[in-house]
Amino acid sequence: KTRDGRTTTLGRNGSDYTATLTAWALGAAEVGVFTDVSGVMTADPDLVEDAYPLVRMTYLEALELANFGASMFHPRTMIPLIQSGIPMRIRSTLRSEEPGTRIDAGGDQDETRPTCVTSLENLALLGLQWRALTRPAHVAERVHGALADAGLTVWMENQAAHGQSIGVVVPAAQGPRAVEVLERALEGELRRGELEPIHVVAPVTLLTLVGEAMGRTPGVAGRFFSALGGIGVNILASVQGASSRSVSAVVNAADTAVAVRTVHAAFNLAHQQVSVLLLGKGTVGAALLSQIQAQQEFLVREHDVHLRVVGIVGTDRHVFDERGVPPAQWRERLEASPASDAAFDLTPLLERLERLPVPVLVDCTAAPGMEAVYRNAFRRGIHVVAANKKPLTVPWGQRQALMESARRHHRAYHYETTVGASLPVIETLKNLVRTGDRVRLVEGSFSGTLGYLANELMKGMAISAAVRKAKDLGYTEPNPQDDLSGLDVARKALILARELGYELELDNVEVEPLVPAELLVPTPVEEFLSRLESFDPVMSERIGAMRSEGRTLRYLARLEPGDGCKVRVGPTGIPAEHPAVRLRGSEAFIAFTTDRYEAYPLIVQGAGAGGAVTAAGVLADILRISQDLRGR
């Protein structure tokens, strides 16, 4: 109590300090502190939706958090606890039945993960650079003294070797005053040109990873900085104390949310949420939603990944919900949404998507012009997964600009399914090139659709009936003419040729369609299928001639690298010893003949068409992004 008898605490806002000091004097078993959260959280819940309360932490971890601005701790509060060994428990006033977080000498015994991520915002970074490199600088002490004498708060300070440069982090509101104080204290050095003008970056955020075991676990700091670098967050300054109990980085304020979420997920402090905006609700899109629904619990349980479909865009309607659109209800939710016209602008949806954890744009359409949408996504920090081949077959300069945009903004662009559905065709080719192998020939049946048609024709089915059946099974493009023209295969061949570095255009690919060009004039699908019946006798005669010669019909693509790259796609009668003879149904087949695989080509073979197969490849590409960000 005060001298006049009023009940009080030790200092302003000193209730916690009063409690721990009194507990020490009384020999209490525990100190309980009640607040508005259910304990010490792994991150700011306003930034990380799946942040959760810690079960235990040490006194020194709590001190570290106090040093980095955690409002529920003050260094004075911890002193009586450390000296007495009395534990403290942080609990929720509104949910008092929950156990909260216990703070004691032992803490959490799991050394595989840090304690939490903190973010102190609205700061300014002041940089001082000494010009006279021939002799050590001795300005650090004067900088510290000047700021202390002015009563300014310093949240972090780092210093290069011999004090040649110093970084100081102060509250953004105190930034102008801090610059004024330092310019006055270092007036002589600035006037003589021995110091660069003070550089100020504001607003910035001090991001800190705290954990008792960090100094005993190799690679923690590397993983921390790698996670931030992997998403393109620029680190302006960094520091790790001698205790190795924390590592801190100064980042731009605009990167705060994504930086906190990324570090939180990279250290497996909670499930990593992946936010998916799906374009296309057709065969592949619908299959993808079904697979996400089937795998959600498994991915959370086994991989700590929560795939959340936040938006679905169809040709005439779209739905977006930051809380997620349940895959089991997507049809109802989409039908209940207002209609949108064909010229619907995706930008507003991308603006909403970019603010969510690990945003991924998934393109399961065959729409042209999507490269502009992808670039817009990359600029906003959104990853792209696409089954759409067309952005990869635009003129070479536009294709390179698309790739450069993904690299410049440190965003993933995965498109494995553009060539072989879920078969690892592109990644296999990339690995051959990365390891220095020289590709001599690429040959294969790139289209499961045309492979299926070839097999049905060899069995004696009429081509019109085979195309109808393939369409009903979901093997064809929305318009089967795209398959029969060979254009789809030509695009796939061009994608592979460009992966080899050849600056080819679609016009450079020699294409022979499976049916005469006059049948492929643009018409409604049903009208085209009716007209195709007129070609049945001609195709049957061709198949009969191949059988008599002991040959099998296959629609093959052939890439011959060299001085330039010759690319041809078309129907071919292959001999019995050709490996493509054994293809069944809609199987796709790709053979890579290289310097290392000369006598026996490297063959990738498997289902090459169908919504479920392609969707599985798209899902694998989405999960690759999550795995890369988590360092798995």
Side-chain angles (χ1 to χ4, degrees):
K1 61 183 180 179
T2 64
R3 289 179 179 178
D4 59 3
R6 289 183 297 168
T7 302
T8 187
T9 58
L10 299 175
R12 183 182 178 188
N13 296 326
S15 59
D16 292 359
Y17 181 41
T18 306
T20 58
L21 197 61
T22 306
W24 186 15
L26 297 175
E30 183 177 277
V31 175
V33 175
F34 287 81
T35 183
D36 59 344
V37 291
S38 299
V40 181
M41 306 297 286
T42 52
D44 183 348
D46 291 336
L47 297 177
V48 181
E49 185 176 325
D50 54 0
Y52 59 90
L54 296 162
V55 177
R56 290 182 67 181
M57 64 188 302
T58 67
Y59 297 130
L60 295 180
E61 285 174 324
L63 268 177
E64 202 78 15
L65 290 174
N67 292 333
F68 287 102
S71 59
M72 66 178 61
F73 297 119
H74 189 282
R76 287 186 307 179
T77 303
M78 306 309 300
I79 294 172
L81 299 178
I82 294 171
Q83 293 181 344
S84 65
I86 297 173
M88 174 193 283
R89 192 175 295 274
I90 307 293
R91 299 170 67 183
S92 169
T93 307
L94 300 177
R95 295 178 293 279
S96 58
E97 74 282 358
E98 295 180 357
T101 301
R102 178 185 167 97
I103 302 166
D104 55 27
D108 192 342
Q109 300 304 305
D110 184 0
E111 296 193 359
T112 62
R113 62 175 63 187
T115 300
C116 59
V117 186
T118 71
S119 50
L120 190 59
E121 301 181 49
N122 298 316
L123 304 177
L125 172 64
L126 280 57
L128 294 89
Q129 177 69 45
W130 182 257
R131 282 178 174 170
L133 300 180
T134 56
R135 57 191 175 89
H138 298 286
V139 297
E141 186 176 345
R142 291 164 61 193
V143 168
H144 298 156
L147 294 174
D149 290 345
L152 299 176
T153 303
V154 176
W155 281 107
M156 190 196 90
E157 179 267 330
N158 68 355
Q159 186 175 194
H162 304 298
Q164 295 292 346
S165 64
I166 301 170
V168 179
V169 176
V170 301
Q174 296 181 6
R177 171 68 176 150
V179 171
E180 179 185 328
V181 167
L182 293 178
E183 286 179 342
R184 185 167 57 247
L186 302 170
E187 181 182 4
E189 286 82 357
L190 288 166
R191 186 178 63 253
R192 293 190 298 271
E194 295 174 357
L195 276 176
E196 297 279 357
I198 298 174
H199 179 64
V200 180
V201 182
V204 297
T205 294
L206 182 60
L207 180 72
T208 303
L209 184 68
V210 176
E212 184 69 36
M214 287 175 61
R216 303 189 295 271
T217 305
V220 173
R223 195 165 161 197
F224 174 77
F225 292 116
S226 177
L228 295 173
I231 59 169
V233 171
N234 188 28
I235 296 172
L236 306 175
S238 63
V239 67
Q240 184 169 17
S243 69
S244 297
R245 198 168 285 114
S246 66
V247 58
S248 300
V250 179
V251 301
N252 286 303
D255 293 327
T256 300
V258 68
V260 172
R261 291 166 184 160
T262 298
V263 172
H264 191 264
F267 286 91
N268 302 326
L269 291 169
H271 303 312
Q272 181 182 59
Q273 180 183 324
V274 179
S275 308
V276 172
L277 172 59
L278 173 63
L279 308 183
K281 59 180 179 62
T283 303
V284 176
L288 176 62
L289 290 167
S290 177
Q291 291 177 16
I292 290 175
Q293 179 185 354
Q295 289 295 102
Q296 270 186 327
E297 290 185 8
F298 171 79
L299 292 172
V300 170
R301 184 178 68 251
E302 299 295 331
H303 299 283
D304 290 329
V305 174
H306 182 198
L307 279 186
R308 178 176 292 179
V309 179
V310 296
I312 303 170
V313 179
T315 54
D316 57 351
R317 295 177 186 275
H318 70 274
V319 61
F320 195 99
D321 187 343
E322 286 87 350
R323 297 166 300 179
V325 179
Q329 302 172 15
W330 72 267
R331 294 183 192 277
E332 296 86 343
R333 293 287 298 273
L334 197 60
E335 286 301 318
S337 64
S340 54
D341 57 34
F344 173 68
D345 183 9
L346 287 170
T347 299
L349 296 188
L350 296 180
E351 290 174 348
R352 297 171 68 181
L353 178 65
E354 69 177 297
R355 295 192 290 266
L356 301 178
V358 192
V360 183
L361 177 68
V362 179
D363 182 9
C364 290
T365 74
M370 293 302 294
E371 57 275 8
V373 175
Y374 297 178
R375 289 196 300 270
N376 190 5
F378 294 143
R379 285 194 298 271
R380 298 176 181 279
I382 299 170
H383 306 280
V384 173
V385 169
N388 189 344
K389 294 174 279 292
K390 292 177 182 176
L392 295 169
T393 58
V394 295
W396 173 262
Q398 296 178 33
R399 186 258 191 194
Q400 291 303 91
L402 179 61
M403 297 299 184
E404 177 57 29
S405 178
R407 284 191 293 268
R408 185 169 64 253
H409 294 96
H410 301 273
R411 290 299 172 265
Y413 175 25
H414 294 324
Y415 46 89
E416 183 67 73
T417 53
T418 58
V419 173
S422 64
L423 296 180
V425 176
I426 292 176
E427 195 61 25
T428 298
L429 179 58
K430 285 183 175 180
N431 286 335
L432 291 172
V433 174
R434 287 176 189 137
T435 57
D437 204 353
R438 182 168 65 94
V439 178
R440 297 184 177 185
L441 175 67
V442 180
E443 186 182 34
S445 175
F446 290 167
S447 169
T449 304
L450 292 176
Y452 173 82
L453 293 176
N455 274 317
E456 294 302 300
L457 292 172
M458 291 303 296
K459 293 176 185 177
M461 183 177 288
I463 187 168
S464 60
V467 171
R468 283 186 182 276
K469 185 176 178 182
K471 185 177 184 304
D472 292 341
L473 291 172
Y475 291 164
T476 69
E477 293 291 319
N479 186 345
Q481 289 176 291
D482 291 341
D483 296 291
L484 297 173
S485 68
L487 184 59
D488 186 60
V489 177
R491 289 193 181 105
K492 294 177 180 180
L494 179 62
I495 291 170
L496 293 183
R498 287 178 166 183
E499 290 294 331
L500 289 170
Y502 291 100
E503 299 182 17
L504 298 181
E505 304 294 347
L506 198 55
D507 292 342
N508 299 132
V509 180
E510 182 184 341
V511 183
E512 180 185 348
L514 184 62
V515 300
E518 56 266 23
L519 288 174
L520 298 174
V521 295
T523 56
V525 173
E526 276 304 316
E527 182 180 335
F528 163 71
L529 293 175
S530 297
R531 291 173 56 206
L532 188 59
E533 295 175 4
S534 64
F535 186 61
D536 287 345
V538 178
M539 180 57 81
S540 296
E541 185 178 343
R542 289 181 183 175
I543 297 299
M546 284 186 189
R547 283 204 197 95
S548 66
E549 296 173 0
R551 293 180 174 273
T552 301
L553 174 66
R554 291 290 180 259
Y555 196 94
L556 297 183
R558 184 179 177 90
L559 286 72
E560 299 178 41
D563 186 12
C565 184
K566 183 179 180 182
V567 185
R568 182 191 179 278
V569 302
T572 306
I574 58 174
E577 64 273 13
H578 195 287
V581 167
R582 64 175 181 264
L583 296 180
R584 300 158 299 173
S586 62
E587 275 189 309
F589 154 90
I590 298 92
F592 299 101
T593 302
T594 70
D595 286 351
R596 296 175 189 152
Y597 295 91
E598 181 179 6
Y600 304 99
L602 173 60
I603 294 176
V604 179
Q605 182 177 336
V613 171
T614 304
V618 171
L619 181 56
D621 274 350
I622 296 171
L623 295 176
R624 278 179 61 194
I625 294 173
S626 172
Q627 291 165 345
D628 289 346
L629 291 178
R630 293 169 74 91
R632 289 190 169 184

